[in-house]
Amino acid sequence: MLSCDICGETVTSEPDMKAHLLIVHMENEIICPFCKLSGVNYDKMCFHIETAHFEQNTLERNFERINTVQYGTSDNKKDNTLQCGTEVNSSIHSGCTSNPKNSAQSLIKDSTLKHEAFYSENLSESRKFLTSKEKQSGLTEIKGSIYETTYSPPECPFCGKIEEHSEDMETHVKTKHANLLDIPLEDCDQPLYDCPMCGLICTNYHILQEHVDLHLEENSFQQAGMDRVQCSGDLQLAQQLQQEEDRKRSEESRQEIEEFQKLQRQYGLDNSGGYKRQQLQNMEIEVNRGRMPPSEFHIRKADMMESLAIGIDDGKTKTSGIIEALHRYYQNAATDVRQVWLSSVVDHFHSSLGDKGWGCGYRNFQMLLSSLLQNDAYNDCLKGMSIPCIPKIQSMIEDAWKEGFDPQGASQLNNRLQGTKAWIGACEIYILLTSLRVKCHIVDFHKSTGPLGTHPCLFEWILNYYSSEGEGSPKVVCTSKPPIYLQHQGHSRTVIGIEEKKNRTLCLLIFDPGCPSREMQKLLKQDIEASSLKQLRKSMGNLKHKQYQIVAVEGALSPEEKVARRQASQVFTAEKIP
C-alpha cells in the first residue's frame, strides 16, 4: 500500500498514486527531490529523474532485486525490504508533488537520509552476496547484470555526452545545462549574476542584460503612462484655467460695454435722438396722461417746428426782470446782508420737455448770451444775434470745431452734436464764445481749499471778479460784469452775483436751469419773501463737489486775437486755482 504524503490517502499501486497526484494535487508544483527542478508535469519529472538521476534510481531498483533474490525465503525480511522501498518510492512521489518550499526541503532531506541508510545496508549485503559465489552459484548472472547496470558510463540526457563518473556528469549538467534546470548552483565555478532590480540569479551576463532591459522597458512604459496621465491632468488644468480666464475677460468686456453704453446714455451719445424727438415724445406722454389737451399738443408742436426752422428760442422757458427785483429787495430788506454785488441784466432760462436731463449747459449759455446782448460792449461781435434754440447752439459749436477750435474735444464727441443729447461743458462754452469773438477764460478749481471739502478760493475769486469795479460802494452794487458760467460734475449753473453777510460769510447767487419758471416768477413780486431766495443762495456748505470750473467773460476780441486763441485751443489748458 502507498500513502500520499500530501493528504494521507492510501492507494494500492503506483499507477493509482500517479493518478491520485494528477487528479487531486495537479495544481501543486512538482519538485525534483535531488536537484530541486520544478515547473514541469509529472511525466516529465519522472523522465528527468530517470535520466538525470539514473544512478540513484538504478541502485534503488537493483537493490530491490538483490533483496528479492537473496532474502526471498524470509517473509519477514522481504516485508521489511518492501516496506523500505515503499518508503523511498513514497518519499520520491511525495517530494515530486509537494508544493511548499519548506515541505519540499524536508522531504528531500528525509528521502536522502532514507536513501543513504538503504544504500549502506544493501551495499554491505551486496558485497557479502558477491563474495559468496560457492554458496549460491546461481547468482553469477545476476552479479554481472548488476555491475553492468550500476557501473555503465553515464550519458548526458540533454546533449548525449558521456562521462566516466556520475559526479562529473552532474557537474556537466549543472554547468552546461543550468538554464534548463532553472536553479542556481552553489558548488559550480561558473560566475552568477544577480538582477539589481528583482534579485533573480542569472548564469549569463547577456541574459542578465536582456532581463534588466525588460525591467527598464517596463518602467519606461509605466512612466510613460504616468506622464500621459500627468499630461492629461495638466491639459485639463490648463483648459480649466483658460476657460476661467476667458470667462473673466468676457465678463469684464460685458461690464465695459454696459458701462460705456450707460455713459453714452448719460451724456446723450446713444443715438436716441435729440431735442426735437425728445420734445415730441414727452408731449405725447403728457397727452396720454391727460396733462395736456390734444389741441395744445398741436399748437406747441407747431411753435417748436417754427423755432427750429428759424433757429431762435421761442422764449417759453425765459423769465426776465429778476436782477431788478433783487436790487429792490436788497435795498429795502435783507438786514443780515452787509453788501451784495449783482451782475448785469440777465434772463433765466429753464429746461423744457425737449432738453430735460441734459440741456443745462445750453440753457446756461442762453443766460450768459442774454446778458451779453443787453451790454453795449458786445454789440460789435454779437450784432444781429438773438437767443438761439438748443439745436442752433449745437450747430454753432460744430461750426467752431470746423474752424479749428478744440480738435480734441470735437473728436471726443465724434464731431457731432446735432440730433443728439450730448452734454456740453466749460470747454464747449469757451470755444463757442471765442468763435463769437467774446473774450473769456476758464478757471479750474481742481481741489478743495477749505475744511470739509469746501472751496473758499472759488468764493474769493468770484467776489474779486464782481467787486473789482470800485471800493466803498453802496449796499447793493449792480455791476456791468456778465454772469459767470459755473460747471461741476453732472451739472452747470450761472452765477449772477454774490452777497457778503454782516458776519463776513459769503453766499453766491445762482440761476439754476433746473428751477422752473413758476418758482422764478415768485421773485418778481413786490414783497419778496426771504424763503423765495433760498433757491438762489448757495453758501460754502452747499458747494462741496470735488472740482469746479468757471468761464468768465472779460470783453470782446479782435479778429487777430480770435485767430490766436483758436490756435491756442488746439492744446487746450485752463487756469488752475490754487
Side-chain angles (χ1 to χ4, degrees):
M1 298 293 288
L2 299 176
S3 178
C4 177
D5 288 342
I6 298 176
C7 63
E9 183 177 350
T10 58
V11 295
T12 58
S13 63
E14 183 177 350
D16 294 339
M17 176 60 69
K18 185 186 297 185
H20 167 74
L21 293 174
L22 290 175
I23 295 173
V24 179
H25 306 292
M26 63 183 302
E27 73 279 2
N28 294 297
E29 183 181 10
I30 302 175
I31 304 173
C32 177
F34 302 108
C35 65
K36 300 181 183 179
L37 175 65
S38 62
V40 296
N41 57 26
Y42 182 81
D43 293 333
K44 291 183 179 181
M45 181 59 71
C46 291
F47 174 77
H48 164 72
I49 295 173
E50 291 292 336
T51 55
H53 308 290
F54 61 91
E55 180 179 355
Q56 294 91 329
N57 197 28
T58 303
L59 284 174
E60 290 175 9
R61 292 197 301 268
N62 291 337
F63 288 138
E64 289 177 4
R65 190 183 307 163
I66 293 171
N67 290 335
T68 302
V69 174
Q70 183 176 1
Y71 304 105
T73 57
S74 176
D75 294 336
N76 187 19
K77 289 185 178 181
K78 180 178 180 180
D79 293 338
N80 292 337
T81 303
L82 290 174
Q83 183 178 0
C84 182
T86 302
E87 290 178 358
V88 174
N89 289 332
S90 63
S91 297
I92 293 174
H93 289 301
S94 63
C96 292
T97 58
S98 178
N99 186 24
K101 292 184 179 180
N102 295 331
S103 176
Q105 293 175 359
S106 63
L107 288 174
I108 293 169
K109 292 179 180 180
D110 294 341
S111 176
T112 305
L113 293 173
K114 290 178 181 181
H115 277 294
E116 290 176 357
F118 178 73
Y119 295 156
S120 59
E121 179 183 353
N122 287 282
L123 283 173
S124 61
E125 295 293 337
S126 176
R127 292 189 185 96
K128 293 178 182 180
F129 167 73
L130 293 174
T131 55
S132 60
K133 296 179 182 179
E134 63 282 359
K135 292 183 180 181
Q136 297 190 21
S137 59
L139 296 178
T140 304
E141 295 178 359
I142 298 174
K143 172 188 170 187
S145 62
I146 291 174
Y147 275 97
E148 289 175 0
T149 304
T150 304
Y151 300 106
S152 59
E155 181 180 355
C156 177
F158 301 106
C159 63
K161 183 178 180 181
I162 298 175
E163 296 286 350
E164 294 181 357
H165 302 91
S166 60
E167 291 82 0
D168 297 336
M169 177 56 66
E170 185 175 359
T171 302
H172 165 75
V173 171
K174 290 181 179 180
T175 56
K176 300 300 182 179
H177 308 293
N179 57 335
L180 299 177
L181 298 177
D182 196 22
I183 56 172
L185 302 177
E186 298 178 357
D187 56 348
C188 182
D189 295 334
Q190 184 178 359
L192 303 177
Y193 305 94
D194 294 342
C195 175
M197 306 184 74
C198 67
L200 179 67
I201 299 176
C202 301
T203 59
N204 190 293
Y205 176 77
H206 298 288
I207 296 176
L208 175 63
Q209 187 176 8
E210 293 178 358
H211 173 74
V212 173
D213 290 340
L214 291 176
H215 278 298
L216 297 177
E217 289 179 3
E218 181 181 3
N219 293 337
S220 176
F221 178 77
Q222 293 177 354
Q223 185 64 33
M226 295 175 62
D227 292 342
R228 283 194 296 270
V229 173
Q230 182 67 26
C231 290
S232 177
D234 293 343
L235 179 60
Q236 291 178 357
L237 178 60
Q239 291 176 347
Q240 182 179 358
L241 293 176
Q242 184 64 37
Q243 290 176 356
E244 292 179 358
E245 184 68 20
D246 293 342
R247 192 181 306 110
K248 289 182 181 179
R249 291 181 179 178
S250 177
E251 182 65 20
E252 291 177 358
S253 177
R254 185 187 63 80
Q255 292 179 355
E256 289 178 0
I257 293 174
E258 291 180 355
E259 187 68 23
F260 181 70
Q261 291 175 350
K262 181 180 179 181
L263 291 174
Q264 284 184 321
R265 290 191 300 269
Q266 179 180 355
Y267 292 100
L269 299 175
D270 56 349
N271 296 323
S272 61
Y275 177 87
K276 176 181 176 181
R277 183 175 179 180
Q278 180 173 320
Q279 179 81 8
L280 293 175
Q281 289 177 347
N282 288 335
M283 287 195 301
E284 290 175 356
I285 293 174
E286 293 294 315
V287 172
N288 294 333
R289 293 178 178 178
R291 299 175 182 175
M292 181 185 295
S295 58
E296 184 180 353
F297 170 82
H298 292 290
I299 293 173
R300 295 181 65 172
K301 180 180 179 181
D303 293 341
M304 180 195 69
M305 298 303 293
E306 182 181 357
S307 174
L308 295 178
I310 62 178
I312 299 176
D313 187 79
D314 57 12
K316 294 183 177 180
T317 65
K318 181 177 73 170
T319 303
S320 301
I322 298 178
I323 296 297
E324 294 84 349
L326 291 175
H327 182 270
R328 291 192 301 269
Y329 169 77
Y330 283 111
Q331 285 285 8
N332 302 323
T335 57
D336 61 332
V337 176
R338 175 180 173 271
Q339 197 170 11
V340 61
W341 292 266
L342 299 175
S343 70
S344 59
V345 178
V346 56
D347 298 330
H348 178 267
F349 290 83
H350 70 84
S351 299
S352 65
L353 295 176
D355 61 288
K356 186 177 182 180
W358 58 274
C360 58
Y362 301 98
R363 296 300 181 180
N364 285 310
F365 174 75
Q366 289 178 332
M367 297 183 200
L368 181 57
L369 186 60
S370 70
S371 178
L372 297 178
L373 289 175
Q374 300 180 60
N375 193 327
D376 295 338
Y378 301 95
N379 288 339
D380 183 41
C381 57
L382 301 176
K383 185 177 181 179
M385 282 193 64
S386 300
I387 302 297
C389 62
I390 290 180
K392 180 61 177 179
I393 297 174
Q394 292 176 328
S395 175
M396 293 167 64
I397 296 175
E398 290 179 358
D399 293 338
W401 287 340
K402 292 176 183 178
E403 290 183 33
F405 287 95
D406 191 17
Q408 294 181 356
S411 64
Q412 291 176 0
L413 295 174
N414 298 324
N415 296 287
R416 177 174 172 265
L417 288 176
Q418 293 188 81
T420 70
K421 302 174 184 176
W423 295 11
I424 60 172
C427 294
E428 286 72 35
I429 298 298
Y430 171 84
I431 66 169
L432 180 55
L433 292 173
T434 305
S435 67
L436 296 174
R437 291 176 49 210
V438 175
K439 184 178 181 180
C440 60
H441 71 283
I442 298 178
V443 182
D444 185 10
F445 299 88
H446 61 281
K447 65 179 182 179
S448 170
T449 55
L452 303 176
T454 57
H455 291 265
C457 288
L458 171 65
F459 283 73
E460 292 292 337
W461 195 96
I462 293 176
L463 177 62
N464 293 333
Y465 173 79
Y466 283 114
S467 63
S468 61
E469 290 187 349
E471 294 290 339
S473 301
K475 179 181 179 181
V476 182
V477 180
C478 292
T479 69
S480 61
K481 295 282 188 177
I484 298 173
Y485 178 92
L486 177 65
Q487 175 77 51
H488 59 80
Q489 179 64 37
H491 194 41
S492 61
R493 289 171 281 189
T494 299
V495 181
I496 55 99
I498 185 171
E499 64 179 17
E500 181 183 19
K501 297 185 179 296
K502 290 182 178 180
N503 59 4
R504 297 294 180 175
T505 61
L506 298 176
C507 188
L508 298 181
L509 301 177
I510 291 177
F511 278 0
D512 192 334
C515 185
S517 295
R518 62 178 179 273
E519 295 294 331
M520 298 301 295
Q521 289 176 358
K522 293 180 181 180
L523 300 173
L524 300 178
K525 296 179 181 180
Q526 287 294 332
D527 298 327
I528 302 176
E529 298 179 0
S531 59
S532 300
L533 290 177
K534 291 180 63 176
Q535 58 186 343
L536 299 183
R537 286 173 171 167
K538 302 297 177 184
S539 64
M540 287 188 186
N542 299 130
L543 299 179
K544 291 185 177 182
H545 286 276
K546 183 178 180 180
Q547 181 181 7
Y548 288 92
Q549 284 184 330
I550 62 174
V551 179
V553 176
E554 299 174 331
L557 290 173
S558 65
E560 293 77 13
E561 291 176 330
K562 175 183 175 180
V563 173
R565 293 210 171 196
R566 182 182 65 207
Q567 295 176 352
S569 69
Q570 296 180 1
V571 184
F572 200 88
T573 57
E575 178 185 353
K576 291 185 177 181
I577 295 178

